[in-house]
Amino acid sequence: MHPDSNAVLFGANIINNNGLVVFPTETVYGLGANALSAYACRKIYLTKERPADNPLIVHVSSLAMLHRITVGIDPEIESKLGEVWPGPVTLLFQKSDNIPDIVTANSPRVAVRMPDNPLALQLIEKSGVPIAAPSANISTRASITDSKYAIDELKDRVDLIYDSGPTKFGLESTILDLSGEVPTLLRAGSKTVEELEPIFGKIFVSEVARGTYESPVAITPGMKYKHYSPVKTLILVDENVFDEISVNSDLKGEVLMIGSTEHCKNSILDTFDLGSMGDLRTVAAKLFIAFRELDKRNERIGVIHPFPEYGYGLAIMNRIRKASSYKIQNLKDFEEKLSEIGS
Ligand code: TXA
Ligand code: MG
């Protein structure tokens, strides 16, 4: 589909006047501003309530634009860019002086990607500048995968929201660091490790990318490293515990069961069905929708189970670990936690 050229020009004009534009990408919605303007990028941090030490991804529409904002790109890496761009892969490069320090949170490296969405690409091209854009959600909340959630969350905070409906993947880009001996995954995302290894070679999957580096004990809501979260409490439980909870009628109206079709189908509690265990791409696309729906419903707690950690499952588990306040492995602990949380 061709984006409306007037709508593109309208947005480009806002970007050129240092305003904020919420625009679709193939992954999630971005909260965009002129990446060459420190003034405009500061507005992103303020609007999103984002800590100043969390840098922004810069979106480009051409390799010429990539060269304006970087220095010393390895020719071997550059020769492979066509295999992943436009697409949901973010790479780190040495930044040029054109990129203000606020964009990279003072790092000498800038994270860049070329989104695979016609409206995003034309918005960047017509603006004539790269666009810095974190996910459009307010800090700590789930990323925005549909313009209706952007309107709910941001309508009073930004200059323009493109009402373009759901995004293709519903999960953020994969972030890869190619600067060392071995390519390192910094964030699992919409391009799987299995898809990337034939292009870049064996990839090191760090604890950070898995989301397993945190201590398994309670994470209080609001702590800095909580991400992608519903406002309500989300509890990650083992699969067998999930099945036991889902047939406890005392919990009806109290707990929303978020899980695969296989685990939801026998539940007597209300469920948010993420799709089949065999279709992890669909599960990934529905995850953030589930978190947002939990917040809209009456139940005060969400319960979710783990997914296999390959393909999209790597990103799914990373997001679930970061979004959940507690990880629980048996029914007794769950019941204790429930009474501790209170009603
Ligand atoms: O799919 C996506 O990547 C979406 C769309 C809008 O492009 N963007 C997105 O941005 O997810 P954000 O800000 O929510 O997440 C970007 C992550 C940050 O958590 C940050 O740690 C990492 O990218 N990042 C950005 N710049 C970096 C840098 N210079 N060095 C290391 N990590 C960086
Ligand atoms: Mg984000």
Side-chain angles (χ1 to χ4, degrees):
M1 202 189 73
H2 284 292
D4 180 290
S5 57
N6 284 326
V8 172
L9 286 177
F10 190 78
N13 191 37
I14 293 171
I15 295 287
N16 285 318
N17 283 293
N18 292 332
L20 296 179
V21 175
V22 174
F23 65 98
T25 78
E26 78 282 35
T27 58
V28 299
Y29 275 77
L31 174 58
N34 178 357
L36 306 182
S37 160
Y39 170 81
C41 291
R42 182 167 302 111
K43 283 191 187 170
I44 294 179
Y45 285 89
L46 292 173
T47 301
K48 221 185 119 83
E49 302 170 23
R50 184 182 182 100
D53 60 0
N54 194 359
L56 310 176
I57 294 178
V58 177
H59 298 71
V60 298
S61 58
S62 67
L63 291 184
M65 203 177 255
L66 172 70
H67 285 288
R68 275 168 67 192
I69 59 170
T70 59
V71 289
I73 298 182
D74 178 342
E76 201 186 316
I77 293 172
E78 181 155 356
S79 71
K80 293 175 178 171
L81 289 179
E83 295 180 60
V84 290
W85 283 359
V89 177
T90 298
L91 300 170
L92 297 181
F93 300 98
Q94 293 299 316
K95 82 173 193 69
S96 77
D97 292 341
N98 291 328
I99 291 290
D101 289 334
I102 187 170
V103 171
T104 64
N106 294 317
S107 165
R109 295 197 297 167
V110 59
V112 187
R113 82 180 192 96
M114 191 187 288
D116 187 15
N117 175 288
L119 174 51
L121 287 172
Q122 286 195 28
L123 177 67
I124 302 163
E125 194 166 305
K126 292 291 176 209
S127 304
V129 292
I131 295 183
S135 53
N137 55 288
I138 290 176
S139 208
T140 78
R141 306 255 184 96
S143 294
I144 287 174
T145 58
D146 189 314
S147 42
K148 68 180 181 194
Y149 300 126
I151 295 166
D152 281 352
E153 195 152 303
L154 295 165
K155 67 175 182 303
D156 300 325
R157 298 185 180 217
V158 298
D159 300 299
L160 174 67
I161 298 173
Y162 283 110
D163 192 6
S164 306
T167 60
K168 182 175 165 195
F169 287 102
L171 174 75
E172 303 86 348
S173 64
T174 302
I175 307 181
L176 206 54
D177 180 359
L178 298 174
S179 65
E181 294 267 293
V182 180
T184 300
L185 188 72
L186 297 183
R187 179 177 72 184
S190 285
K191 193 92 171 171
T192 64
V193 168
E194 291 83 350
E195 290 170 313
L196 288 167
E197 284 188 332
I199 303 167
F200 297 110
K202 183 79 191 148
I203 292 171
F204 172 67
V205 178
S206 64
E207 288 284 293
V208 176
R210 283 190 199 282
T212 48
Y213 68 103
E214 290 162 0
S215 89
V217 293
I219 302 165
T220 23
M223 282 185 75
K224 193 173 163 192
Y225 48 79
K226 198 162 185 257
H227 280 298
Y228 313 114
S229 326
V231 176
K232 289 192 185 148
T233 303
L234 181 72
I235 303 181
L236 171 61
V237 301
D238 285 1
E239 288 180 64
N240 61 314
V241 182
F242 187 95
D243 294 341
E244 288 170 291
I245 295 169
S246 69
V247 294
N248 180 348
S249 58
D250 291 348
L251 299 176
K252 202 154 177 63
E254 177 124 355
V255 173
L256 178 70
M257 306 304 290
I258 302 171
S260 63
T261 309
E262 291 81 353
H263 283 284
C264 284
K265 68 174 193 280
N266 295 322
S267 177
I268 60 171
L269 307 184
D270 283 0
T271 61
F272 188 103
D273 185 340
L274 293 168
S276 166
M277 279 285 206
D279 179 11
L280 294 177
R281 172 149 175 200
T282 297
V283 174
K286 285 180 154 183
L287 194 61
F288 291 140
I289 299 173
F291 296 169
R292 287 186 175 271
E293 290 305 314
L294 170 64
D295 285 340
K296 286 190 179 169
R297 294 179 53 106
N298 289 328
E299 289 89 353
R300 62 194 179 93
I301 286 166
V303 166
I304 194 163
H305 63 74
F307 286 80
E309 248 167 299
Y310 51 75
Y312 289 100
L314 195 62
I316 292 168
M317 283 310 296
N318 166 279
R319 305 304 187 271
I320 291 177
R321 288 196 182 99
K322 292 194 165 193
S324 45
S325 301
Y326 308 101
K327 286 97 185 161
I328 285 179
Q329 284 163 325
N330 64 66
L331 198 57
K332 189 168 153 287
D333 289 353
F334 178 77
E335 281 161 358
E336 275 173 18
K337 186 53 72 189
L338 216 53
S339 58
E340 188 187 305
I341 297 169
S343 48

